[in-house]
Amino acid sequence: MIDLTLREIAGITGGRVVGDPSVLVTGDVEYDSRKIGPGGLFLAFAGEKVDGHDFAAAAVERGAAAVLGSRDTGVPGVVVEDPLAAVAALARAVVARLHDLTVIGLTGSSGKTTTKDYIGQLLSRIGPTVALPGSLNNELGFPYTVLRASEKHRFLVLEMGARGVGHIRYLTGIARPSIGVVLNIGAAHIGEFGSKEGTALAKGELVEALPSTGVAVLNADDPLVAAMASRTSARVVTVGSTGSLTASDVSLDAGGRASYTLSDGTRTGRVHLTTAGEHQVANTLSAAAVALAAGMAFDDLVAALGEVGIASERRMDVYSRLDGVTVVDDSYNANPSSTSAALRALAAMGGGKRTTAVLGFMAELGEHEVSGHAEVGRLAAELGVDRLIAVTGAARPILDGAAAVDGWRGTGLLAEDQAAAIEILRHDLRADDVVLVKGSRYRTWDVADWLRHPEEVQPT
């Protein structure tokens, strides 16, 4: 964050200074007191289970210059009525002062975090860039990321999540992007949006916020995304199998890593990705379009795409255990689209080996809950996955979908919880197995952690 006094912070947020108004905040903003650094600003939120104000003194002891919260904690700081609104106001004011900063925003139903990581790695080759690991895409994570930018940075890459109409519009009001990316429209959160068209209405708020001098990067292979071209005055760059920037001649190696020919209509180059999954082609195409719009040379881009990797945890993290088992940890979250992509990657990596998919329940699908799970199960069977382990009874439709596929010779197993799934794997893992874990925090993370450290993790 840029250096600000408590007097300035209070003026921006409408707060009241506690202590010396001339105290200068020179470090990062943090809401975890254990991560605060010298000169930082600690954000204190009163949660249902934990009250951050109780850690204000500890944050100052760790080097924080001040605390921003809703009550006086007896240490230097600024007291505001609504800390979350205050953080948004602070982020808005900071980015407005960074005139040389290019803001990139991206959204979509799946692939946001991975694509954000790719964009950050590419742009860092041409200028100092802020692109934090993880899915910091909500009302707190978004301004928190914005507040990592300072005068030294040239690019700020922001992921935008939405659970309803108006959410992305709110985020763009904090930091307005000049380059916007919409990846895809899928069934994620469809229970809240009502339909894919409702999802597109909300996600398209990003391109509506772009200035006429900006760039909208749209997926030409997704009709709902491609149609967003009519909702922006920015220059439109389409990416996909057709469009302004294309990928053709896609092939996968034994590790499920894709290669493709990148073309902008006049120049071509062969790209060899290091990350698994054919869906990474679309993700890297969008990232490539951003890099080109930001001024990266085409030949440099082709080389750089072959070096980008996964920066955020639990996203297509492929590793081999000492016993020869290959694990694909894609357990951060799951929806039908992302799970289908992960299953295709698993099938590509199988290559004659036994494949196992441990799949958790996918939430927020509304009336599509049963059909969404069954669809995933059918795909797994059609791809020839050898073992399907559905975790909890809510995920049973996955097995029903697989069983409905004529000719599937695999095995479907229902684990009542993660501990049961771990026991299935513990007693039947073979050398050279390939195991995919796809789910979210309370549905498959114990399984993923046990596979990585079987001697350390006790199933809960």
Side-chain angles (χ1 to χ4, degrees):
M1 188 173 79
I2 63 176
D3 295 352
L4 293 171
T5 65
L6 294 190
R7 181 182 293 107
E8 290 175 302
I9 293 173
I12 291 168
T13 61
R16 173 175 59 87
V17 175
V18 175
D20 182 358
S22 66
V23 167
L24 188 65
V25 174
T26 59
D28 288 330
V29 171
E30 288 289 354
Y31 49 84
D32 185 339
S33 63
R34 297 165 297 182
K35 297 180 180 179
I36 199 73
L41 179 67
F42 175 59
L43 307 177
F45 296 97
E48 294 182 2
K49 296 182 179 180
V50 178
D51 189 341
H53 296 83
D54 296 338
F55 301 91
V60 172
E61 289 177 3
R62 288 178 177 270
V67 174
L68 177 68
S70 57
R71 71 170 186 266
D72 186 344
T73 57
V75 298
V78 175
V79 177
V80 296
E81 183 176 342
D82 183 347
L84 190 60
V87 173
L90 188 59
R92 188 180 299 112
V94 166
V95 78
R97 300 186 187 189
L98 300 175
H99 303 295
D100 296 327
L101 185 70
T102 297
V103 179
I104 297 97
L106 73 154
T107 191
S109 294
S110 60
K112 293 187 296 295
T113 301
T114 298
T115 305
K116 178 261 301 171
D117 291 344
Y118 291 154
I119 293 171
Q121 291 170 59
L122 292 175
L123 294 183
S124 66
R125 292 171 174 255
I126 56 177
T129 300
V130 175
L132 301 185
S135 297
L136 299 169
N137 59 23
N138 61 13
E139 293 86 350
L140 174 57
F142 186 90
Y144 170 83
T145 305
V146 172
L147 289 171
R148 287 303 181 97
S150 66
E151 295 91 341
K152 70 180 181 181
H153 293 109
R154 183 176 169 190
F155 302 107
L156 170 62
V157 188
L158 298 168
E159 180 181 337
M160 298 182 178
R163 294 178 180 271
V165 173
H167 290 186
I168 288 180
R169 186 179 302 115
Y170 169 78
L171 297 180
T172 60
I174 296 173
R176 185 187 188 189
S178 59
I179 302 176
V181 182
V182 183
L183 298 173
N184 46 53
I185 300 298
H189 310 305
I190 199 169
E192 296 174 334
F193 289 110
S195 65
K196 288 186 177 182
E197 288 74 17
T199 304
L201 179 65
K203 300 290 187 182
E205 292 171 358
L206 171 54
V207 300
E208 291 176 347
L210 297 174
S212 59
T213 55
V215 177
V217 178
L218 302 178
N219 181 355
D221 295 328
D222 187 321
L224 290 174
V225 176
M228 293 179 189
S230 64
R231 297 170 61 181
T232 184
S233 61
R235 176 170 66 91
V236 173
V237 174
T238 51
V239 299
S241 57
T242 63
S244 313
L245 193 66
T246 63
S248 60
D249 302 322
V250 178
S251 62
L252 299 178
D253 67 11
R257 296 174 291 262
S259 295
Y260 63 90
T261 299
L262 177 71
S263 174
D264 66 354
T266 58
R267 297 164 294 184
T268 63
R270 192 68 181 170
V271 173
H272 303 277
L273 300 180
T274 63
T275 50
E278 188 173 357
H279 59 293
Q280 304 296 0
V281 174
N283 292 339
T284 55
L285 261 185
S286 292
V290 172
L292 290 173
M296 193 171 197
F298 186 88
D299 290 343
D300 292 341
L301 172 63
V302 171
L305 286 170
E307 298 175 6
V308 297
I310 302 297
S312 298
E313 63 178 11
R314 302 184 188 272
R315 293 169 175 85
M316 293 305 294
D317 181 6
V318 181
Y319 63 91
S320 295
R321 303 191 340 162
L322 293 177
D323 58 3
V325 173
T326 298
V327 178
V328 184
D329 182 357
D330 198 32
S331 64
Y332 181 79
N333 211 336
N335 59 60
S337 297
S338 65
T339 303
S340 296
L343 285 169
R344 289 189 175 92
L346 173 67
M349 296 171 66
K353 301 176 182 178
R354 189 175 67 158
T355 54
T356 298
V358 183
L359 305 180
F361 170 69
M362 298 175 289
E364 300 173 348
L365 296 181
E367 64 182 18
H368 302 281
E369 180 176 304
V370 173
S371 61
H373 285 80
E375 173 188 328
V376 162
R378 284 194 297 272
L379 177 63
E382 290 167 357
L383 292 171
V385 173
D386 297 303
R387 289 195 305 170
L388 268 179
I389 302 174
V391 184
T392 76
R396 181 186 292 275
I398 294 174
L399 303 181
D400 296 337
V405 175
D406 290 338
W408 181 51
R409 298 182 179 180
T411 302
L413 301 167
L414 181 66
E416 64 181 16
D417 54 26
Q418 294 193 69
I422 289 171
E423 286 305 307
I424 292 171
L425 294 172
R426 188 196 307 275
H427 294 293
D428 194 29
L429 274 182
R430 304 175 188 169
D432 293 333
D433 276 359
V434 184
V435 181
L436 165 70
V437 183
K438 182 67 174 169
S440 60
R441 182 187 297 272
Y442 302 112
R443 300 179 178 99
T444 58
W445 281 20
D446 284 354
V447 178
D449 290 343
W450 177 81
L451 282 165
R452 189 180 293 273
H453 301 293
E455 73 286 352
E456 298 178 10
V457 177
Q458 297 298 317
T460 58

